[in-house]
Amino acid sequence: MNEVKNPKKPLIYYYGVAMMVLMVFNFLAMPWLSQRQIREVDYGTFMEMTEEKNVGRVKLQENQILFTDKEETQVFKTGLMNDPELIYRLKDSGAAFTSEIVEEMSPFLSILLSWVLPIVLFVGLGQLMSKKLMEKMGGGPNSMMFGMGKSNAKVYVRSSEGIKFSDVAGEDEAKENLAEIVDYLHTPDKYKEIGASMPKGILLAGPPGTGKTMLAKAVAGEASVPFFSMSGSEFVEMFVGMGASKVRDLFKQAKEKAPCIVFIDEIDAIGKKRDGQVGGNDEREQTLNQLLTEMDGFEGNNGVIILAATNRPESLDPALTRPGRFDRRVPVELPDLKGREEILKVHAKKIKLSEDADFKQIARMASGASGAELANIINEAALRAVRDGRKFATQSDLEESIEVVIAGYQKKNAILTDKEKWTIAYHEIGHALVAARQTNSAPVQKITIIPRTSGALGYTMQVEEGNHYLMTKEEIENKIATYTGGRAAEEVIFGTSSTGASNDIEQATKLARAMITRYGMSKDFDMVALETVTNQYLGGDASLACSAETQAQIDRQVVELVRRQHEKAATILLEAREKLDELAKYLYDKETITGEEFMAILNG
Ligand code: ADP
Ligand code: ZN
């Protein structure tokens, strides 16, 4: 869509222009205006007029003579001459001498012209221009001066090349849900007739980069209505009260442009629970209150639909999510295998790809990737092709770019000692071998021991076949065993341990903990929730909800669980010691091993 950016020229600019006009006025027009009343004539004319008794009043000054005609319609000015007779002649002509005379201009008029008029002009011009400016931005005159407290919402006008639902791959449920909004915006009468009113607000909740912004834009694009977009964090400003005034302004603009879509990104920035703590964030609360007031203020069916996005739906204030406000929640989840494939296809249209590109394969390898990451993978592949001087990207570009996006670039000049390289090779093969030997674990896709900029020294890419919605207890246990497999291999081979397993340890612990505290997979605690997840879409932090005594028990059980799997992994590796050596040597030599090569050696 065409984004109509706010005119960036600040108000001060317009005042500056007004100032310039004024200065020109003062220099050119003012002298002319004040001079208009005094006409300079030569002494001859003055003498003539005196003779013709055509002089009304006269004032002799030190260096000039000011006089009027009989009707006093015009003031004249002429130079002073050495003319001693003048006074008598003037007296004869019936001219009246005066000191006040012929004021060059009345003092009142003079003040008016030189002070009041410029100020009036100055303010008037400034007002006019700022009004024009506000009209341009759709703002109102009650916006504050110099752009403070204005919403600065980005407006996307309707345009044919706007984002459509077809640009958003996967997310079928979300699209279905939002299609209703589009239908409503097209034919509101159908809904009014029956008395149905659209939800005022719809909350798009999901992890970052899953296409929430895209979906909101697509609703506007499909309905071809204006789209106002603003981020929650933009509301919260340095000055108290600014946020609230921005909210007011945003809604004022929106109501004028209805039907339209208002999109508030990161709404949790203003919509966080008001916890009533002393010293809470006043500004945020005021902004939130204003938002609530605005949402209550407009009747349903007025054509303004508010979409908001958040990664932390659970942190929102309940007042915001109650019916009549953001009463509908549309989950926008990470894409599944099919969704990933579709997203890859949508973005692949933008680049030149060779025929051999297998999106399904890439989608399988990029498990857990968000839409934004998938878009990035496609772009990285194209960049890689350019770097290699090719005209199109290939399957191997895509595969390499998955690793780039997930693990970072290859560290070309990282210097590992021979011992380190062996350790990493055994560590990675350890993971893969344990995974392969436990029938329930997914086979590996690829292992490399080329260091990455992310800090990973080696990298095992597991492949999930199809989608998993449930995991059994055994599957989780096997996964833990796989995580411990790297360290187990180091111990089996070198009889010592290295720091390379820190991430594995974290992951294994997390799983083991979840089994006990959240999935009810321990006999001691049965189906009791001991932890609640707080950040579902951002890594899933958990907070304990049990007594200190229970916590100690949980800790013991977690250790027990991980230890059992660690031992199991070690046993598997000891049994397959020969394969372990063979595979590690292969990996050491080649630095990269594919899933097929791995299985061939394992089963060979
Ligand atoms: P969010 O608002 O959820 O954080 P965005 O909508 O800003 O995510 O998405 C970021 C980028 O990721 C988009 O510009 C797009 O290129 C890509 N993307 C994300 N999800 C999808 C999807 N479902 N289909 C196509 N592209 C997507
Ligand atoms: Zn590891």
Side-chain angles (χ1 to χ4, degrees), residues 494-546:
F494 305 104
T496 181
S497 41
S498 73
T499 53
S502 59
N503 184 49
D504 302 335
I505 292 170
E506 232 171 81
Q507 299 292 336
T509 311
K510 215 170 172 180
L511 274 179
R513 243 198 134 69
M515 279 179 79
I516 294 161
T517 60
R518 283 161 51 201
Y519 305 138
M521 288 177 178
S522 69
K523 20 182 202 332
D524 292 352
F525 299 117
D526 205 63
M527 283 178 63
V528 172
L530 303 171
E531 256 180 16
T532 46
V533 179
T534 42
N535 266 338
Q536 189 192 348
Y537 293 121
L538 296 174
D541 301 338
S543 54
L544 278 168
C546 58

Side-chain angles (χ1 to χ4, degrees), residues 361-561:
Q361 170 80 351
I362 302 299
R364 210 178 279 138
M365 288 167 81
S367 83
S370 69
E373 280 168 327
L374 292 167
N376 200 359
I377 285 169
I378 296 281
N379 191 48
E380 278 294 339
L383 288 175
R384 217 174 100 91
V386 175
R387 238 176 274 140
D388 288 4
R390 275 178 279 116
K391 288 263 176 278
F392 49 82
T394 62
Q395 175 76 3
S396 69
D397 285 329
L398 286 168
E399 284 177 20
E400 170 62 24
S401 54
I402 293 176
E403 285 161 52
V404 168
V405 170
I406 295 171
Y409 287 96
Q410 291 186 1
K411 244 193 209 161
K412 285 272 160 55
N413 49 3
I415 299 164
L416 299 176
T417 65
D418 202 45
K419 176 82 190 293
E420 280 171 335
K421 204 172 156 190
W422 274 115
T423 308
I424 297 162
Y426 270 106
H427 179 106
E428 296 303 330
I429 293 293
H431 284 304
L433 199 53
V434 172
R437 278 289 154 97
Q438 299 171 118
T439 46
N440 295 331
S441 282
V444 294
Q445 173 74 44
K446 186 175 176 180
I447 308 168
T448 77
I449 53 167
I450 301 166
R452 296 277 163 178
T453 46
S454 67
L457 295 171
Y459 176 59
T460 298
M461 190 186 288
Q462 298 206 359
V463 170
E464 37 143 23
E465 292 285 344
N467 278 306
H468 263 318
Y469 294 105
L470 289 175
M471 274 181 98
T472 62
K473 187 179 172 201
E474 289 70 30
E475 278 169 334
I476 305 181
E477 283 175 350
N478 288 345
K479 223 171 156 181
I480 296 173
T482 302
Y483 279 126
T484 61
R487 164 66 64 87
E490 290 178 46
E491 288 163 342
V492 165
I493 304 298
F494 305 104
T496 181
S497 41
S498 73
T499 53
S502 59
N503 184 49
D504 302 335
I505 292 170
E506 232 171 81
Q507 299 292 336
T509 311
K510 215 170 172 180
L511 274 179
R513 243 198 134 69
M515 279 179 79
I516 294 161
T517 60
R518 283 161 51 201
Y519 305 138
M521 288 177 178
S522 69
K523 20 182 202 332
D524 292 352
F525 299 117
D526 205 63
M527 283 178 63
V528 172
L530 303 171
E531 256 180 16
T532 46
V533 179
T534 42
N535 266 338
Q536 189 192 348
Y537 293 121
L538 296 174
D541 301 338
S543 54
L544 278 168
C546 58
S547 70
E549 202 181 313
T550 314
Q551 281 180 33
Q553 270 186 57
I554 293 171
D555 291 338
R556 268 196 299 279
Q557 292 212 5
V558 170
V559 174
E560 185 51 38
L561 195 89

Side-chain angles (χ1 to χ4, degrees), residues 134 207 313 339 571 590:
M134 271 163 202
T571 314
K590 299 260 163 127

Side-chain angles (χ1 to χ4, degrees), residues 15 78 102-103 113 139 160 256 274 308 337 354 360 404 433 491 505 603:
Y15 277 100
T78 190
V102 239
E103 323 81 303
L113 276 177
S160 50
E256 279 164 15
R274 291 166 295 185
L337 184 63
S354 69
K360 194 167 211 118
V404 168
L433 199 53
E491 288 163 342
I505 292 170
N603 298 328

